[in-house]
Amino acid sequence: MDKTTTMSEAIARYVADGATVALEGFTHLIPTAAGHEIIRQRRRGLTVVRMTPDIVTDQMIAADCVAKVVGAFVGNSSAGSLGELRRRVEAGTLELEECSHYGMICRYLAGAQRLPFYPLRSYAGSDLPRVNPGLRKVVSPYPGPDGGEPEQVYVVPPVHPDVTIIHAQRADRRGNVQIWGLTGIQAEAVYAARHAVAVVEEVVDDAVVRADPNRTAVPAHAIDAVVACPHGAHPSFAQGYYDRDNAFYRRWAGISKDPERLKAWLEEYVLGTRDHAEYVAKLAADGTWDRLAVGSAPSGSIDYGRRLRKEHP
Amino acid sequence: MNTANPATSSELLAAVASRELAGMRMVFAGIGLPTLAVSLADLTVAPGLEIVYESGVCGAHPSHLPETIADAVLITGAEAVLPMASLFGYVLQGGRIDVAFLGAAQIDRYGNLNSSVIGPWERPAVRLPGSGGAVEVMANAGEVFVVMRRHDPRSFVAELDFCTSPGPDRARADGGRPRGRGVTRVITDLGILSRAGDGAGEELTLTAVHPGVTAERVRAATGWDLKVADALATTAPPTDQELRLLREDIDPDRVYLR
């Protein structure tokens, strides 16, 4: 089945007002273009689930798409603050459900496996359980080490996004998604969700995927739509395709600090472009893609082998 | 010491932090001064040190100084790249990390850390990034080093506004069984605070001051009644070799040596 579609159709179909939307990619392969299309389609009341809510989250908040953020690190990497998120949290007008990186990972793991909770050795003594009642403590049903007192461990609840959107280097038309470099938490986030959209740098022939099945991070059975969108992870990066726009991350601290400047940026670069191709063309004018171009460092190739005889050995 | 071109505060912090890594094998590093400290240690006191980044990279061999913990230059040529569930679950929670670096907006006398908010969590005066992986690093690394560029009473506080990442005393009081010893070193622009981390109720103690800094000045810059070690040392300034490695090999563009 051919699942390729346009970004506009994928967002229209899978992101409804009030939906819980996971956008995943840890620093690498952040689905920015999908976030921008959500802004263009003026979705409202979303719960955004993202381990590290960052620039694209800040932009969606500023465009009034977001009612609640679920995450673990609400910063602009190490390049300063997310201005809009900070303003709204400090004013008490944006709901934040806060845990930690491994807490988010375990929420996706529980969600993907349809488990009621997932245990982890975090949070004992932290103030986080006080502000996030979802972080709860259970007593192990087994004796502790050396047969002693059973251990007490914190657990996190599953997360089941209505849709998870990930960005990847490539996929075939059916949605076998191949990722290399940092694979982050994408597979867990996809399996936790009811629907999943894969945005990719390029759609490739089946033979390309099947020549290297270990590279497939998410199989087609878990993907509903495939969207080809070159440079769709900017300002983050796609290993082997283009580098991270560190200068833009640094600029975002200044842009987002001033609400008027932030509004103007959204008008010009997101609402003022018809789609991501126009955004990409706009950035080409100031040499962005030349600046972010990367050289080649191909992987060594491996040999999967093939059986020579017709009968079983 | 290079008297013609004396060490900056950043160079001093990086050199002092690197020496604390002597004998370590697995270090969990962030970006900034820890990057420099770990790179310098690898070339001096801890050859073969394996650097693990929470993004999933193990055994990075970057061609350029990384700008983030997920920089593409950490991936190309690395020994391994793991999914984050494996990195956090098997490597960190599995107890493989000897020492980790953490930063914070506030630290208290027991080495509990706040990286979440200034003011009340519900209506913060300043919303900070939050835990990230810090709460799991504190619970699971063998020990934790904290590097603070500015030692002042706003950061070294009697009471945290919010405890993001608790040390082992707080964790045990809540029924936890933390694997590690919590914060054992705090390296600042004034000196070094230390905790052995092997007993309950143990406070950070001033064990060394940088050249020209008095214990009284450090105590005045600390928001609690800071204990001072009987045998207070003075840190050795960076050697010519340490300065040369930092300036010429590790950070020639002075990205973190600002």
Side-chain angles (χ1 to χ4, degrees):
Chain A
M1 182 185 158
D2 186 343
K3 295 174 192 160
T4 55
T5 184
T6 63
M7 183 73 88
S8 163
E9 285 171 17
I11 299 303
R13 173 145 187 210
Y14 292 106
V15 181
D17 284 352
T20 296
V21 182
L23 299 166
E24 278 304 350
F26 182 82
T27 310
H28 183 215
L29 299 172
I30 296 170
T32 314
H36 286 178
E37 183 58 26
I38 289 171
I39 292 172
R40 287 189 198 98
Q41 295 192 19
R42 300 184 189 275
R43 286 293 174 281
R44 292 291 178 266
L46 301 179
T47 293
V48 171
V49 181
R50 180 158 165 69
M51 186 159 58
T52 54
D54 62 337
I55 287 179
V56 68
T57 319
D58 210 30
Q59 293 168 348
M60 291 168 68
I61 294 167
D64 291 321
C65 303
V66 183
K68 178 178 177 180
V69 171
V70 178
F73 187 89
V74 289
N76 178 14
S77 178
S78 49
S81 292
L82 302 175
E84 189 66 22
L85 183 142
R86 261 193 69 180
R87 264 190 300 282
R88 296 201 189 196
V89 170
E90 289 166 9
T93 58
L94 176 70
E95 189 181 351
L96 178 63
E97 184 176 323
E98 182 176 7
C99 62
S100 60
H101 280 169
Y102 195 47
M104 287 298 298
I105 293 167
C106 292
R107 293 199 64 185
Y108 284 128
L109 285 166
Q113 299 171 74
R114 271 53 188 177
L115 285 167
F117 57 80
Y118 207 94
L120 69 167
R121 289 194 181 280
S122 307
Y123 307 131
S126 172
D127 282 333
L128 282 166
R130 181 172 62 75
V131 299
N132 182 349
L135 310 176
R136 299 183 190 179
K137 198 160 52 171
V138 298
V139 177
S140 166
Y142 301 102
D146 311 320
E149 281 285 298
E151 294 197 52
Q152 300 177 42
V153 287
Y154 274 86
V155 296
V156 293
V159 62
H160 294 294
D162 293 310
V163 61
T164 287
I165 305 176
I166 60 168
H167 193 93
Q169 280 103 336
R170 68 190 186 196
D172 62 23
R173 306 181 76 82
R174 292 168 55 229
N176 289 300
V177 179
Q178 297 203 319
I179 298 178
W180 54 98
L182 298 170
T183 54
I185 198 66
Q186 280 92 322
E188 292 82 355
V190 163
Y191 275 108
R194 294 180 179 88
H195 294 286
V197 175
V199 184
V200 294
E201 290 296 318
E202 53 183 333
V203 173
V204 295
D205 287 342
D206 294 1
V208 173
V209 166
R210 289 171 59 188
D212 196 359
N214 279 131
R215 196 83 62 201
T216 302
V218 185
H221 64 233
I223 296 292
D224 295 285
V226 177
V227 176
C229 185
H231 291 119
H234 177 267
S236 82
F237 67 108
Q239 190 82 32
Y241 287 73
Y242 48 92
D243 215 336
R244 188 174 189 265
D245 195 346
N246 292 316
F248 183 78
Y249 277 84
R250 286 190 289 271
R251 276 176 51 214
W252 187 254
I255 294 169
S256 68
K257 191 171 184 177
D258 175 353
E260 289 308 311
R261 227 180 125 192
L262 172 46
K263 193 160 170 275
W265 188 91
L266 280 176
E267 288 290 344
E268 179 175 358
Y269 286 92
V270 183
L271 296 169
T273 53
R274 196 173 45 215
D275 56 21
H276 195 70
E278 269 195 30
Y279 171 91
V280 169
K282 196 170 166 58
L283 292 186
D286 69 2
T288 298
W289 309 117
D290 293 337
R291 184 164 53 82
L292 302 179
V294 296
S296 175
S299 73
S301 84
I302 55 158
D303 193 335
Y304 280 91
R306 64 190 173 86
R307 186 163 295 160
L308 294 173
R309 291 181 225 255
K310 276 201 168 137
E311 71 273 21
H312 287 287
Chain B
M1 187 173 69
N2 186 334
T3 45
N5 198 356
T8 65
S9 178
S10 295
E11 289 167 346
L12 175 66
L13 286 173
V16 168
S18 79
R19 295 171 197 156
E20 299 288 342
L21 292 167
M24 302 286 186
R25 288 186 305 112
M26 293 271 280
V27 57
F28 197 93
I31 285 296
L33 282 173
T35 316
L36 301 181
V38 171
S39 301
L40 183 56
D42 184 41
L43 296 170
T44 55
V45 298
L49 191 67
E50 180 177 338
I51 309 167
V52 176
Y53 293 93
E54 65 179 317
S55 56
V57 181
C58 303
H61 298 277
S63 59
H64 296 67
L65 196 65
E67 285 210 39
T68 71
I69 54 166
D71 196 316
V73 300
L74 294 170
I75 315 303
T76 305
E79 292 167 37
V81 181
L82 301 179
M84 288 182 80
S86 304
L87 194 286
F88 273 89
Y90 309 154
V91 182
L92 181 58
Q93 193 169 266
R96 303 282 177 150
I97 301 297
D98 295 323
V99 59
F101 282 91
L102 287 178
Q106 293 180 331
I107 182 169
D108 72 10
R109 69 182 73 200
Y110 304 109
N112 301 305
L113 303 178
N114 171 19
S115 56
S116 298
V117 285
I118 301 300
W121 185 88
E122 292 75 9
R123 267 309 277 286
V126 181
R127 176 65 231 194
L128 301 163
S131 166
V135 64
E136 19 273 347
V137 165
M138 184 73 96
N140 297 299
E143 58 188 302
V144 171
F145 292 175
V146 174
V147 179
M148 304 277 263
R149 280 181 188 265
R150 268 223 320 266
H151 193 137
D152 63 33
R154 289 169 52 207
S155 303
F156 290 76
V157 297
E159 289 281 340
L160 300 179
D161 289 7
F162 186 91
C163 178
T164 313
S165 306
D169 283 357
R170 274 187 71 128
R172 271 188 283 270
D174 189 20
R177 294 189 189 199
R179 169 180 176 265
R181 294 189 278 145
V183 174
T184 56
R185 294 285 183 281
V186 184
I187 298 150
T188 81
D189 57 335
L190 299 181
I192 303 175
L193 281 55
S194 304
R195 261 177 88 253
D198 49 13
E202 189 194 347
E203 296 184 16
L204 287 163
T205 299
L206 181 66
T207 49
V209 288
H210 297 322
V213 176
T214 63
E216 271 322 299
R217 185 169 156 211
V218 186
R219 280 171 50 78
T222 304
W224 69 84
D225 188 12
L226 176 65
K227 291 180 178 173
V228 179
D230 293 338
L232 182 66
T234 301
T235 52
T239 64
D240 286 345
Q241 188 210 12
E242 287 168 335
L243 285 178
R244 186 182 58 72
L245 290 170
L246 283 171
R247 292 170 179 178
E248 294 173 19
D249 295 347
I250 297 171
D251 190 5
D253 297 330
R254 303 193 77 79
V255 176
Y256 301 125
L257 285 175
R258 53 188 164 81

